[in-house]
Amino acid sequence: MKVAIIGTRGYPYVYGGFETFVKELSERLVKKGVDVHIYCQRDLFDKKPVMINGIHLHYIPTIQTKSLNQIVHSFLSILHATFSSVDVILVVNLAAGPMGWIPKITGKKTIINVDGLEWLRPKWKGLGALYFRFAAKLATKLYDLIITDAEAMRDVYLEEFKKDSLVIAYGAPAFKKADSSLLSRFNILPDDYYLIVGRLIPDNNADLIIKAYLESNSQKKLVVVGDVPYKDVYAESLKKNAGHRVNFIGYVRDNEELMALYQNCFTYIHGHKFGGTNPAMLKAMSNNCSILALNTKFNKEMLRNGELGLFFDEDTKSLNYAFNILESKPELVQKLKKEVASGLTDKYNWDAVTTAYQLAMNNITNKTRA
């Protein structure tokens, strides 16, 4: 079995959820005897080895602008893979939805992981939103298999596009106790802060959470991990107006420091709105966090409809009520921390996720040979 993976920045480059997914999946597939080829954005790599950890790497150019970056890179990568010797092309970016016809030229089988509701994200206004909805619709017609990462996302595709999909979630990292003394670098103490982890973009609701926090009587700090890798009015406005009670610490590249931040927070606040199974939430669950999450069907699925966490509606009043509940009931916070990891069933296990992808690849290629 030979598989090409297309749609991320590359390997072993890790920037966000999809890069982590590709890293975890591809390394496990190689150990299972699969010949893996990953397509990388050429400009992001100073050194360009042709193979790392048994994974073949292909460096493809693109245009470094937000609107065209993934579209151009995906198109050139799919074109290259179409005329290669791979059996399956796995695409992990909805921007490539309309390109599913290309591999049919040479009879390649195709899979696409459609991720979240890209056409609803505030960053894709106007033509961008129209393109991503068009891309989602075409993906359901052009690819041999659609993969969604949550049952709630499967329901969306059934309702919106009348197309069923195979649900395969993402894996959670294994728990490893982190040194709490690492918090000293950020001038914070264990159990004395709320934590937000994610890009500073509107659909993650950092503005709403910060506004509610500043209006509250909370005695805790608010720590924000994450940023955006470009100049951005929204992100700059958040930092400018938040004041000294909110600690923006930017990207945390050291994994042990990040795990220490998760493990020692009073409560992790998850404001992500349009995704399915979210990697930041999985990290919070695996690190035994008390979780306060935006009330979406995706977050409810991960937290068993409130059994493993609390929810807030998209307004400051709801958040302030949640802050009061959490800070007045420390026993509830401890209960949530103790029970949250029980939600990490095989559905969120990287080995099980890899087995499911391998089985899906085998099934569609066997249909070709039959």
Side-chain angles (χ1 to χ4, degrees):
M1 171 71 71
K2 294 183 179 181
V3 58
I5 302 179
I6 292 168
T8 69
R9 293 166 179 83
Y11 176 92
Y13 188 94
V14 173
Y15 169 80
F18 260 147
E19 281 79 28
T20 300
F21 161 68
V22 167
K23 180 180 186 330
E24 297 288 349
L25 176 69
S26 59
E27 290 174 359
R28 284 170 170 80
L29 285 174
V30 166
K31 290 177 181 177
K32 287 172 165 282
V34 177
D35 192 5
V36 178
H37 296 251
I38 295 179
Y39 284 75
C40 310
Q41 291 188 17
R42 180 185 292 173
D43 293 349
L44 297 178
F45 295 84
D46 294 327
K47 297 180 180 178
K48 300 177 177 62
V50 296
M51 181 179 285
I52 298 178
N53 296 327
I55 298 166
H56 301 272
L57 303 175
H58 305 273
Y59 301 91
I60 305 297
T62 188
I63 297 173
Q64 291 298 341
T65 65
K66 184 175 75 169
S67 58
L68 294 175
N69 179 290
Q70 283 292 355
I71 294 175
V72 172
H73 187 257
S74 295
F75 174 75
L76 295 176
S77 298
I78 288 175
L79 201 61
H80 184 281
T82 294
F83 295 97
S84 74
S85 61
V86 302
D87 303 299
V88 179
I89 297 175
L90 169 60
V91 173
V92 294
N93 194 297
L94 193 54
M99 304 170 198
W101 63 272
I102 301 173
K104 297 182 184 300
I105 296 172
T106 57
K108 296 283 189 293
K109 305 304 286 185
T110 54
I111 301 173
I112 185 168
N113 181 318
V114 293
D115 193 30
L117 305 175
E118 286 292 325
W119 59 92
L120 296 181
R121 295 185 191 275
K123 70 176 181 178
W124 303 122
K125 295 179 181 178
L127 287 176
L130 289 172
Y131 176 80
F132 275 106
R133 198 178 188 288
F134 170 72
K137 185 174 183 178
L138 280 189
T140 64
K141 300 179 181 299
L142 297 176
Y143 284 79
D144 295 303
L145 178 63
I146 306 297
I147 292 180
T148 46
D149 61 27
E151 291 293 341
M153 191 63 71
R154 174 178 179 250
D155 292 342
V156 169
Y157 271 73
L158 278 168
E159 183 177 336
E160 290 278 334
F161 307 112
K162 306 298 184 283
K163 178 70 174 183
D164 203 359
S165 58
L166 175 64
V167 178
I168 309 177
Y170 297 137
F175 175 81
K176 182 181 178 183
K177 182 66 176 175
D179 184 355
S180 61
S181 69
L182 293 170
L183 298 181
S184 61
R185 184 168 87 82
F186 309 110
N187 194 30
I188 51 178
L189 297 172
D191 210 37
D192 193 41
Y193 60 96
Y194 290 98
L195 178 68
I196 298 173
V197 178
R199 286 177 295 163
L200 297 182
I201 56 176
D203 40 315
N204 288 349
N205 280 303
D207 54 342
L208 172 68
I209 297 167
I210 291 169
K211 185 175 187 292
Y213 167 78
L214 293 175
E215 291 176 357
S216 76
N217 295 317
S218 175
Q219 300 303 303
K220 308 290 184 182
K221 292 183 178 180
L222 178 61
V223 174
V224 182
V225 175
D227 209 327
V228 286
Y230 42 80
K231 280 189 71 67
D232 181 77
V233 173
Y234 175 83
E236 292 304 316
S237 176
L238 285 181
K239 297 172 190 175
K240 181 180 178 181
N241 298 321
H244 69 279
R245 292 175 63 199
V246 182
N247 189 357
F248 289 91
I249 60 179
Y251 293 112
V252 177
R253 307 291 185 187
D254 185 285
N255 190 61
E256 190 168 352
E257 286 183 345
L258 182 58
M259 295 308 105
L261 286 162
Y262 273 113
Q263 290 171 23
N264 292 283
C265 71
F266 174 69
T267 293
Y268 166 75
I269 307 177
H270 188 78
H272 296 55
K273 186 175 181 179
F274 297 119
T277 298
N278 186 273
M281 178 91 93
L282 287 175
K283 287 178 181 175
M285 293 174 71
S286 69
N287 283 287
N288 303 311
C289 292
S290 159
I291 298 175
L292 174 61
L294 182 65
N295 188 3
T296 70
K297 53 192 172 184
F298 309 116
N299 296 337
K300 281 184 173 180
E301 181 177 331
M302 295 185 73
L303 296 176
R304 290 182 186 165
N305 292 313
E307 181 184 338
L308 303 176
L310 301 183
F311 297 103
F312 65 91
D313 295 325
E314 207 169 349
D315 60 71
T316 57
K317 183 178 178 181
S318 179
L319 269 164
N320 272 304
Y321 178 75
F323 291 149
N324 289 333
I325 291 291
L326 289 163
E327 293 186 36
S328 65
K329 295 185 176 181
E331 69 281 2
L332 173 61
V333 173
Q334 291 307 311
K335 178 177 181 289
L336 293 173
K337 289 183 176 183
K338 184 177 180 180
E339 296 179 357
V340 67
S342 67
L344 297 176
T345 59
D346 273 353
K347 179 178 180 179
Y348 303 114
N349 177 277
W350 278 121
D351 291 330
V353 167
T354 302
T355 297
Y357 268 91
Q358 186 178 21
L359 181 60
M361 293 173 195
N362 286 337
N363 284 342
I364 63 171
T365 52
N366 284 341
K367 287 178 185 177
T368 301
R369 295 179 187 124

